[in-house]
Amino acid sequence: MAQAPAAAAPPRPIAVALLASVFVIAACGLLYELAAGALASYLLGDSVLQFSTIIGTYLFAMGVGSWLSRYLERQLPAHFLRIELLVALIGGMLPGVLFVANAWLPEAFRLLLYGIVFVVGALVGLEIPLVIRILQRDVALKTLVSQVLTFDYLGALAVSLAFPLLLVPYLGLIRSGLLFGLMNAAVAVWALWLFRHELPRFAEHVAACAMVVVLLAAGMWGAGAVTTLAEDHFYQSPIAFAATSPYQRIVVTHGRRGHRLYLNGNLQFAESDEYRYHEALVHPAMAAHGAPRRVAVLGGGDGMAVREVLKYPSVQSVTLVELDPAMTQLFRDTPQLARLNQHSLSDPRVQVVNEDAFQWLQQGAPGVAGPSRDAEDSFDVIVVDFPDPTNFAIGKLYTNSFYALLAERLAASGYAVIQTTSPLIARRSFWTVVQTVEAAGLATTPYHVHVPSFGEWGFVIASRRPWRMPLALPAGLRFLDLGALPAMLEFPLDMARTPAEVNRLSNQVLVHTYEQEWGRVAH
């Protein structure tokens, strides 16, 4: 009678420990990749491009590391320990080093970014082949490959969920990198113990592990100071408030000329002249309507546009749709900032909706199904105050698809107004937005004003009926009066209309055009 095959021996404790290490290694490697991509999108814009090139560089480097692993033939545990320590130190320090480089060496930032990503990727690429070769001593190859890949993918899944939901909101990028560096260092310490009988010069390995752990722990302790120091240097003013949300880096500075708000390093308003921008944004549309009752503000989580809207006694409700709850919370609950918007976000007429504006327009009002809109689902005035289209995530809010949804929510006699970048610096971008609004079936009235912090800045009113010059404006405005309005409608030759494409979801030409035009100014 045939003899039954012998059951496979269970893996030794060393094998179990190394498989657990694979989970940590995968999580740490992906964390460094995500942190680099997030920092690049924060600081360089165009998140799709940055994440694509970071991921591509990282994966290529992992391939290089895997190929190089063939040349490590002896003392595999010692090589594994050294590589873990290098990944821990370089990967853990990656966000902090890049943050500081952006402040002091901006011209070298891209080179440093891709250089560090390549080095970390190559080291991570070395790790897994070494683990597999070490485990081959105790686990059959067929079982080994499936187990290693399973733990690798599970580690990647865990950190991909934790990164946006827990790590960035609660720790920030710098501390997240350092924490995972410490986790890599813990794997090295674990390996030090597991292979203590195989390691030559054991005391030197102990000293190296201790040094890396101390450096990373010191980085964790001083991460806040490093961030503040780098941002103070970058923004040239003391940081009053700062927060990192899943969506953006929010920084408010306070200098001699008051507060300034930056999102991902881009100026959004300066206290000294924001009234020019917000009065020009809101009042030409609001005053022309006559007696707006229901108003929506899309973007504008700082509450400044809402402040201007509430100057009309006819307003009964304002719906503020802002993606990032960190923004609305900061400008509602911080006394110094709430003073700037005159506590508009605490007004009982204001409803704050923290949701993507595109999805909010698609969904309609609660209880309203399908494309039909009734009086309770439309608005007399819609103020669109999004950041400039620096990436595809924002660029979708400047497409004909978005403006078609906007038209559905606009009352028959209503007006929408859209902030539309600089018609002087980004002339083609400005007229691309105008062309796109018209492609959605709305009439347009472009205009511009001078805001010292930004230069010449543009807006466009969109409506089904022609815009008419208002007969009166609210009392107490600091900049806008009826006499200034006609000049705002005139475009000199260097800002005059130029041929432009329609910005569609399928092409996002505006993002590319914007990057080209503003890139010329930056360089």
Side-chain angles (χ1 to χ4, degrees):
M1 187 167 59
Q3 205 172 19
R12 291 196 306 160
I14 284 182
V16 174
L18 283 178
L19 285 172
S21 298
V22 170
F23 180 92
V24 177
I25 289 168
C28 293
L30 184 59
L31 184 281
Y32 305 140
E33 182 181 358
L34 291 173
L39 262 173
S41 63
Y42 284 178
L43 303 173
L44 302 177
D46 194 351
S47 57
V48 173
L49 174 64
Q50 303 309 330
F51 270 100
S52 295
T53 54
I54 292 294
I55 291 170
T57 302
Y58 187 83
L59 292 177
F60 171 71
M62 285 183 67
V64 172
S66 297
W67 181 80
L68 290 174
S69 66
R70 68 173 68 185
Y71 296 106
L72 302 178
E73 297 179 355
R74 299 178 180 179
Q75 299 181 0
L76 297 184
H79 288 310
F80 175 71
L81 191 150
R82 294 187 193 101
I83 290 168
E84 277 301 301
L85 290 177
L86 285 172
V87 173
L89 190 60
I90 300 173
M93 295 288 190
L94 180 150
V97 168
L98 291 177
F99 215 79
V100 170
N102 180 65
W104 273 279
L105 298 168
E107 65 283 349
F109 178 79
R110 288 179 188 269
L111 179 62
L112 195 59
L113 167 69
Y114 288 100
I116 296 177
V117 167
F118 184 87
V119 170
V120 172
L123 291 170
V124 172
L126 281 166
E127 286 175 309
I128 299 302
L130 286 180
V131 170
I132 291 175
R133 288 164 63 186
I134 294 170
L135 283 170
Q136 274 185 307
R137 298 183 294 190
D138 300 297
V139 184
L141 182 62
K142 178 181 177 180
T143 303
L144 173 61
V145 172
S146 65
Q147 288 178 340
V148 168
L149 292 180
T150 298
F151 279 91
D152 185 71
Y153 296 148
L154 286 174
L157 172 64
V159 82
S160 66
L161 295 174
F163 183 76
L165 300 178
L166 298 173
L167 297 172
V168 173
Y170 295 104
L171 288 180
L173 285 175
I174 293 181
R175 282 197 172 94
S176 294
L178 291 164
L179 173 64
F180 276 71
L182 284 168
M183 290 170 63
N184 263 130
V187 170
V189 172
W190 198 349
L192 180 70
W193 173 254
L194 290 174
F195 300 107
R196 59 191 180 279
H197 301 302
E198 301 180 42
L199 293 172
R201 297 191 296 275
F202 182 76
E204 293 179 13
H205 291 299
V206 171
C209 287
M211 181 185 69
V212 170
V213 169
V214 168
L215 286 173
L216 292 170
M220 283 287 284
W221 178 77
V226 171
T227 303
T228 301
L229 184 67
E231 288 187 326
D232 282 350
H233 181 84
F234 179 78
Y235 294 111
Q236 300 296 310
S237 292
I239 307 298
F241 308 97
T244 301
S245 77
Y247 308 103
Q248 58 199 347
R249 176 68 177 170
I250 305 168
V251 173
V252 179
T253 66
H254 187 255
R256 288 180 300 174
R257 302 194 65 191
H259 293 87
R260 296 166 75 92
L261 169 67
Y262 296 86
L263 299 181
N264 296 339
N266 298 310
L267 180 66
Q268 303 301 304
F269 77 72
E271 183 180 352
S272 60
D273 56 23
E274 58 81 15
Y275 65 92
R276 278 181 160 252
Y277 171 90
H278 290 104
E279 288 181 8
L281 171 68
V282 170
H283 295 297
M286 289 286 291
H289 184 279
R293 295 184 305 109
R294 301 186 76 246
V295 179
V297 178
L298 311 184
D302 52 40
M304 306 298 186
V306 175
R307 176 196 68 199
E308 299 302 316
V309 167
L310 293 175
K311 291 179 179 178
Y312 291 80
S314 61
V315 171
Q316 297 175 0
S317 68
V318 181
T319 302
L320 172 64
V321 183
E322 162 63 48
L323 176 63
D324 193 347
M327 273 287 292
T328 49
Q329 183 178 352
L330 184 66
F331 280 86
R332 183 193 62 216
D333 299 339
T334 306
Q336 299 95 313
L337 302 180
R339 174 184 58 81
L340 299 180
N341 61 42
Q342 297 176 5
H343 302 277
S344 62
L345 300 185
S346 300
D347 191 288
R349 291 170 290 175
V350 177
Q351 178 192 11
V352 176
V353 179
N354 293 124
E355 191 175 339
D356 178 88
F358 203 111
Q359 295 178 4
W360 180 80
L361 287 176
Q362 286 178 315
Q363 292 167 1
V368 177
S372 61
R373 307 292 182 195
D374 58 26
E376 293 305 311
D377 194 31
S378 62
F379 295 90
D380 300 314
V381 174
I382 302 178
V383 178
V384 183
D385 191 19
F386 297 133
D388 277 7
T390 54
N391 58 58
F392 294 119
I394 302 175
K396 73 176 183 180
L397 305 174
Y398 287 83
T399 60
N400 61 331
S401 300
F402 180 84
Y403 295 134
L405 292 171
L406 190 74
E408 290 184 18
R409 305 298 297 274
L410 194 61
S413 60
Y415 293 110
V417 60
I418 304 155
Q419 91 79 14
T420 322
T421 198
S422 170
L424 180 62
I425 296 173
R427 179 180 173 188
R428 194 151 53 95
S429 298
F430 176 86
W431 293 107
T432 295
V433 177
V434 175
Q435 182 75 24
T436 304
V437 173
E438 292 173 348
L442 295 171
T444 61
T445 304
Y447 62 100
H448 63 98
V449 298
H450 182 74
V451 182
S453 294
F454 298 115
E456 207 65 36
W457 211 255
F459 309 86
V460 58
I461 293 173
S463 58
R464 293 188 180 87
R465 58 169 176 158
W467 178 80
R468 59 185 182 185
M469 192 75 69
L471 300 177
L473 291 168
L477 300 187
R478 299 172 61 188
F479 160 65
L480 198 62
D481 60 23
L482 294 178
L485 287 172
M488 292 163 55
L489 303 175
E490 299 294 329
F491 285 82
L493 290 177
D494 58 355
M495 293 191 292
R497 186 155 191 166
T498 188
E501 293 183 60
V502 174
N503 187 45
R504 306 178 190 276
L505 280 173
S506 58
N507 60 26
Q508 291 263 28
V509 296
L510 179 60
V511 174
H512 300 295
T513 302
Y514 180 90
E515 188 176 55
Q516 290 169 3
E517 292 183 313
W518 280 96
R520 289 197 296 266
V521 177
H523 297 95

